[in-house]
Amino acid sequence: GLTAVVAAELPVLSVDAAQIDRLGLQWTAPEPVHEIPLGLVPAQVTIPPQAETVVSAPLAGLVEAVQVTRGESVTAGQAVARLNCPELLTHQQHFLDAWQEVQVAEARYAREKPLYSEGIIAKSRWLETRKTLLQTRTAFEQAREELALMGMRSNAIDHLLKTGRLDSVLALKAPATGVVTAREAVVGQRLERLMPLLTITATEELWLEMAVPVAQAERLESGASVETDARAASGRVFLIGGAVDPETQTVLVRARLTDPKDLKPGRKLSVWLYESSVDTVWKAPQTAVVEHQQQHYVFVRTPEGFRVRPVTLVGETAEAVFIREGLRQGELLVSRGVAALKAAWLGEEE
């Protein structure tokens, strides 16, 4: 059996290699941390207010196609809908007319430049010609910009300029990468200008919104860690509300998820909040600690075997314990097979 060597009132359990195998003993190095769990609080995954963008009709028109459905993921620049807008033809014609004006003004400018150099035409006439050219170029750029604002892509505008062929169909693109959270428009529907077709919610950034009891909120600071209970997603606190809810006596706390795993907006879950600690605290697996007569103990690996060591806990989560006193840098703790060592120790004591 296991033998105990009593030293400093707590034994060292002498275990040989065969017994280590038979008992399935494993050990681990506790992790030095500067945070202590404050407690478990309810939270909800939310999206920042600026994450929502609405795809709306830039002109009045008829919905020819909607290429995405609610819940579908889209990437920025992806085609999401097609509109037939008769008013677009007028704007395209205006753009082509502006281009013709530029051509005429440039031809006149090229013709009169040498005449002015040779003193054949008056300076006032030459200045008028130059002014007209600048005005027509500005008008052309404005007409191009208007088409772009209506949703016409740069290559489509270039194609229009090259061919002169008007087209009333407008392809609408996703302004951002995200998920389609609302689809307002249906095929065949007539839309007025600025009526919404789709809502796209960017999901690159997710927040956690928590209702934290006042006593815990007072110990929190910006930048504190947050960990979800089961999913191992994590984040950092960036907002601690300045008011207390009189009904629930809780404070609104928001955290930005830095590692969201596969969490989705709207999900409700429990999260661990942490407060920072000036002193180093040792984080070890829950399985490393045993309790006896209201005192916590660990088994420290030594050359002779495993030393029973009392420790002081300052916090715990579902998976880990946080030890303030009783450990030293570089020590290894038994994390598997602890029950067998406890039985051996207490058996020896009795």
Side-chain angles (χ1 to χ4, degrees), residues 254-273:
R254 284 200 182 105
R256 197 172 276 110
L257 279 168
T258 47
D259 183 13
K261 295 289 192 271
D262 54 354
L263 290 179
K264 292 184 170 54
R267 186 186 165 96
K268 289 187 173 174
L269 68 173
S270 296
V271 299
W272 289 99
L273 280 172

Side-chain angles (χ1 to χ4, degrees), residues 176-246:
T177 297
V179 174
V180 178
T181 45
R183 179 181 152 160
E184 329 270 345
V186 292
V187 175
Q189 183 180 355
R190 193 166 289 286
L191 296 179
E192 293 306 310
R193 183 173 171 270
L194 297 182
M195 275 178 72
L197 282 95
L198 305 162
T199 303
I200 294 171
T201 303
T203 51
E204 287 131 11
E205 187 177 323
L206 293 176
W207 290 357
L208 280 176
E209 206 158 278
M210 296 155 275
V212 179
V214 179
Q216 291 176 341
E218 283 169 351
R219 290 163 64 185
L220 265 185
E221 48 193 60
S222 193
S225 292
V226 179
E227 251 177 29
T228 61
D229 188 27
R231 316 284 290 201
S234 56
R236 296 261 169 205
V237 169
F238 71 90
L239 177 131
I240 299 161
V244 177
D245 183 315

